[in-house]
Amino acid sequence: MFDPSYYRRCQCKEPVTDSTGTPVLKDDGAQKMRDIGLTCPKLGRKGHGTWYFYFEAEPGEGGKRARVRRGGFTKLDDAKKKAKELYDAASAGTDVLSDEKCGDFFLRWIKAKKSLARTTRHGYEEHITNYLLPHLGHIKRRDLKVRHLDKMYDAIEKENAERILHRLRVDQLQKDRDDAHQAWVKTAGYAKKEERRTARRAFLDANAALREGKKGLRKTTSAATMHRINDTLSSALSWGIKREQAFSRNWAQLVELLPVTRPKPLVWTPERVEHWKHTGEKPGPVMVWTPELTGQFLDFAKDDWLYELWHSFIFLGPRRGEMAALPWTEVSTDALWLRISQQIVEVAYKLYGEAPKADSVRTLSLSLESGDNLVSFRAKQEQKRQEWADAYVESGHVWTHENGEALHPDWISRRFTRLVELSGLPPVRLHDLRHLAATLSLLAKNDIKVVQEKLGHSSRQITSDTYTSVLPEMMRAEAESVMSVVPRDIAYEVRTPLKIPEAAWQADVAVFFAHGARRSGDAWAVGAQRQPDSDLLGMITLTGRGQGDAANAAVKWVRDHCAANDLELVRVENFNDRYPEEQQSDFSLTRFTIARSESPGLDNWALPTGLPPAASRTASRASKKGRRKAA
């Protein structure tokens, strides 16, 4: 039953006297005072003292009395509101009498989380040690509110400002040190001994100042890190609410932080590559090579010991920990598959073997080239095993150093970065190869579901949002597909009917160009050709305002031809932007891909009663298997 008691008390004091009325003195001779408390005669006056309340809570163990008491309210209504809030929290199971500090709670929470992955636990512990304990650890758990969290993030932003200033001071000290070093170097060979000695002393002083200035230098806490800190705090509060009603609300969910958007992968287009060569600036943190740049890297790394590993990263898209842990027992070069069932994680450069998440356990199909690469690498390992003899390390892993030692995931990243630097190609991170693998797979017209399973994601949305960038080829195809879908009513006159010779067809697919040229004024002529120097397949004329009208007229002409001859317009590619700017107003170029829509009939076709002969397939696989063994 909720029946709180309310009363007022103040902080007034009066002298302490003994039984005879003599004042009691302290050791230093000063008058000893005591609180009057509830007996102050001024409590009857308005505004004197503050309001307190107490009520009886559910008895504790052994029937021990539990009284909830709070005070310091200037108004009685505030005291009543707080009393009701605490009573409701106590009725819901919250321990409103607990004096546990938030710091003790956070440490208790992380200790109780038994099922966390090692890297996740390490991240949580860093957040607790570096942020939650210093800013929230002293607050009683029952008193925690969203205002305390806001103060924590305000303090972090203030620290960021100080760290930025510190970084700027260090940069200036670095510049001073470099300038002093250059000045010292320039004195060599011609300056007097005293001048060289002075320059050297200036350099040593600048170097010492730099070392001193770097002390305590720390990176700023980014907005993304603040969100992760808040996620850690939210997880802790949710656990406390579910387990023991330790909090009335999950205050972390009420915090407003600066929005953070996941960096979108950008493609190294020729324009961006040219800008990088001149300035050294990356357009974004996540970059993806084009297929041409990818081929250049593979050609450059052909003689590297781990060429087959880089090939696997590019075309299979695994994580580096998955490749570092891959054993030969999970690879079949005959059936062309490998199974991702374990990974190596790095925490403070120490390695730990762990099973990946359930969605990341997967079997990847290998192409013939990938299978041959694994056969080739196994042969290289066998050669090194003989060369190293007893010193060879039998790790059982697929990817190893030349002496058989397993690869450290961080070493793999550093080795890849070094190869990219040596190749002269625009920089990408090792993890960016997952983006590249997904993009190449989509460019090959694979479904997003196939890409999702290949990368080991739990949903298509994650794959689509995170690991798919748009190559120029895909953007062009999209633009061309839109152009081919929307019909434009451009009037034209057929001068020579379009006729596609049989020689133009390859497997029921024909490709040809429509080249438009301005004759005079708004008069255009558009001719269809297989090659620039080949005979015309047909020609039309039209009156148009520019190359766009000429291209649209060509599309309508070919579409009408396909409709009349039972053909299918598969693809339209507009190359108007290939002309120099001064020629774009006078020429147009469009490429068409069409297909015969005839399908094989069922005449004279008996329903199959068994499987077709497999001799040719078996022979083909046997020859490939023999070739791998020979390798």
Side-chain angles (χ1 to χ4, degrees):
M1 180 179 178
F2 182 50
D3 186 21
S5 297
Y6 303 94
Y7 58 92
R8 280 201 302 177
R9 63 175 300 165
C10 64
Q11 301 298 322
C12 295
K13 301 179 181 296
E14 66 179 7
V16 178
T17 59
D18 58 16
S19 57
T20 63
T22 303
V24 178
L25 302 179
K26 299 180 181 178
D27 294 339
D28 59 359
Q31 175 68 58
K32 195 172 185 179
M33 307 294 289
R34 69 180 179 87
D35 292 332
I36 300 178
L38 300 177
T39 61
C40 179
K42 297 179 182 179
L43 287 177
R45 301 177 186 178
K46 184 176 181 181
H48 186 75
T50 55
W51 287 96
Y52 287 73
F53 68 85
Y54 68 88
F55 62 85
E56 299 296 329
E58 182 179 349
E61 296 182 3
K64 185 177 180 180
R65 184 179 184 183
R67 174 173 287 184
V68 180
R69 189 189 302 272
R70 298 287 190 276
F73 302 96
T74 57
K75 297 180 180 180
L76 177 60
D77 289 343
D78 293 339
K80 291 181 177 180
K81 182 178 179 181
K82 186 63 177 180
K84 185 65 168 62
E85 177 185 329
L86 289 178
Y87 178 79
D88 292 342
S91 300
T94 303
D95 185 4
V96 296
L97 294 174
S98 174
D99 289 328
E100 183 182 34
K101 299 292 182 64
C102 285
D104 297 329
F105 169 77
F106 295 142
L107 296 176
R108 183 163 59 87
W109 163 70
I110 195 65
K111 185 177 180 181
K113 297 291 287 184
K114 306 295 184 183
S115 60
L116 290 177
R118 197 180 303 271
T119 51
T120 304
R121 177 179 295 278
H122 180 69
Y124 283 175
E125 290 174 346
E126 282 192 337
H127 294 161
I128 292 173
T129 303
N130 297 333
Y131 302 99
L132 301 185
L133 290 182
H135 295 286
L136 304 177
H138 62 285
I139 301 173
K140 289 184 179 180
R141 189 190 70 194
R142 69 190 187 195
D143 296 333
L144 184 66
K145 294 292 184 291
V146 70
R147 66 175 183 274
H148 299 116
L149 277 57
D150 289 336
K151 288 181 180 179
M152 176 180 71
Y153 293 116
D154 290 343
I156 292 175
E157 291 181 353
K158 183 178 179 181
E159 291 174 358
N160 279 343
E162 295 172 353
R163 293 175 186 177
I164 291 174
L165 292 176
H166 190 182
R167 168 59 65 184
L168 293 175
R169 290 195 295 269
V170 170
D171 290 343
Q172 183 60 46
L173 291 173
Q174 180 80 47
K175 182 178 183 301
D176 294 343
R177 196 279 302 270
D178 294 342
D179 292 342
H181 183 264
Q182 289 296 324
W184 177 37
V185 171
K186 288 179 180 179
T187 60
Y190 70 90
K192 295 181 179 180
K193 184 176 181 180
E194 187 62 30
E195 185 178 351
R196 275 188 55 78
R197 184 178 297 170
T198 302
R200 182 175 182 273
R201 173 49 54 192
F203 164 68
L204 293 177
D205 292 342
N207 198 42
L210 177 61
R211 288 199 304 268
E212 185 66 24
K214 283 184 175 181
K215 292 181 178 180
L217 182 64
R218 294 179 61 185
K219 294 189 296 185
T220 58
T221 304
S222 65
T225 301
M226 290 191 194
H227 278 268
R228 289 193 290 270
I229 295 168
N230 203 60
D231 291 341
T232 300
L233 179 59
S234 178
S235 178
L237 299 186
S238 295
W239 181 85
I241 292 173
K242 293 177 182 178
R243 287 283 297 267
E244 51 198 44
Q245 287 293 324
F247 304 93
S248 57
R249 297 188 66 177
N250 188 336
W251 304 111
Q253 295 179 352
L254 303 180
V255 173
E256 292 188 9
L257 298 173
L258 291 174
V260 175
T261 56
R262 188 186 299 272
K264 183 178 180 180
L266 299 177
V267 178
W268 277 113
T269 60
E271 295 79 10
R272 289 170 178 160
V273 173
E274 194 66 26
H275 178 75
W276 166 74
K277 288 181 178 179
H278 284 87
T279 66
E281 298 177 355
K282 287 178 60 177
V286 182
M287 300 301 298
V288 177
W289 282 329
T290 61
E292 292 77 14
L293 294 175
T294 304
Q296 293 176 28
F297 173 77
L298 290 174
D299 292 340
F300 173 82
K302 189 70 175 179
D303 296 328
D304 186 71
W305 165 255
L306 293 174
Y307 165 77
E308 294 82 2
L309 175 60
W310 313 131
H311 186 282
S312 299
F313 273 119
I314 289 172
F315 291 101
L316 301 180
R319 301 174 178 89
R320 66 177 189 176
E322 295 170 345
M323 285 287 97
L326 182 66
W328 278 113
T329 55
E330 294 296 294
V331 175
S332 174
T333 55
D334 290 331
L336 294 177
W337 57 261
L338 62 83
R339 187 170 184 269
I340 303 294
S341 59
Q342 50 189 298
Q343 64 177 341
I344 292 178
V345 297
E346 173 203 345
V347 178
Y349 210 76
K350 292 183 179 180
L351 300 182
Y352 302 91
E354 285 187 357
K357 297 178 181 179
D359 297 310
S360 295
V361 176
R362 60 200 186 277
T363 299
L364 300 179
S365 297
L366 303 176
S367 65
L368 289 174
E369 183 177 356
S370 296
D372 289 341
N373 281 340
L374 288 170
V375 171
S376 174
F377 193 77
R378 180 180 287 181
K380 291 196 301 184
Q381 277 185 332
E382 183 59 34
Q383 180 182 354
K384 293 298 180 182
R385 181 180 286 105
Q386 296 175 6
E387 293 177 2
W388 285 78
D390 294 340
Y392 190 83
V393 179
E394 296 291 350
S395 65
H397 290 179
V398 173
W399 310 111
T400 64
H401 292 285
E402 295 185 19
N403 66 345
E405 289 183 0
L407 300 178
H408 191 292
D410 187 62
W411 184 92
I412 297 175
S413 296
R414 288 187 284 109
R415 176 61 180 167
F416 175 76
T417 301
R418 181 58 178 159
L419 282 175
V420 174
E421 291 175 354
L422 293 174
S423 70
L425 294 171
V428 298
R429 305 171 306 162
L430 179 66
H431 193 74
D432 293 341
L433 297 186
R434 278 174 66 79
H435 303 260
L436 177 59
T439 305
L440 293 177
S441 185
L442 291 175
L443 185 62
K445 306 301 182 183
N446 290 324
D447 187 82
I448 191 70
K449 182 65 177 178
V450 175
V451 180
Q452 170 205 335
E453 294 177 352
K454 178 178 184 177
L455 298 178
H457 289 154
S458 59
S459 69
R460 295 162 58 109
Q461 191 66 35
I462 294 176
T463 307
S464 178
D465 291 346
T466 309
Y467 288 107
T468 56
S469 55
V470 180
L471 289 171
E473 290 86 346
M474 298 174 67
M475 291 189 291
R476 176 176 294 278
E478 187 275 337
E480 292 154 359
S481 65
V482 172
M483 178 180 172
S484 64
V485 168
V486 179
R488 300 295 300 276
D489 189 13
I490 304 296
Y492 63 88
E493 181 178 352
V494 177
R495 293 295 185 179
T496 305
L498 180 60
K499 293 183 179 180
I500 304 174
E502 191 62 31
W505 294 96
Q506 299 290 334
D508 290 334
V509 174
V511 180
F512 59 90
F513 292 83
H515 181 218
R518 187 192 297 272
R519 287 182 166 179
S520 62
D522 293 336
W524 285 75
V526 178
Q529 297 173 274
R530 294 179 59 191
Q531 298 293 337
D533 56 352
S534 63
D535 295 336
L536 284 177
L537 306 180
M539 188 177 74
I540 61 172
T541 57
L542 67 140
T543 301
R545 291 172 295 178
Q547 63 176 195
D549 284 351
N552 289 326
V555 172
K556 187 174 186 298
W557 177 36
V558 175
R559 181 183 291 110
D560 292 345
H561 176 79
C562 291
N565 294 274
D566 197 20
L567 301 175
E568 179 183 358
L569 179 58
V570 177
R571 190 175 185 184
V572 180
E573 300 170 83
N574 191 316
F575 296 106
N576 289 342
D577 58 350
R578 300 295 180 91
Y579 289 101
E581 186 175 354
E582 62 274 11
Q583 296 182 4
Q584 288 186 4
S585 60
D586 296 324
F587 298 97
S588 74
L589 184 64
T590 310
R591 183 167 63 188
F592 295 91
T593 303
I594 64 175
R596 289 169 171 163
S597 56
E598 297 178 357
S599 301
L602 294 178
D603 298 339
N604 302 321
W605 183 266
L607 293 178
T609 57
L611 294 176
S616 59
R617 172 62 178 166
T618 304
S620 175
R621 293 295 297 141
S623 64
K624 293 171 183 174
K625 181 176 179 181
R627 178 164 52 87
R628 295 194 191 99
K629 290 183 177 179

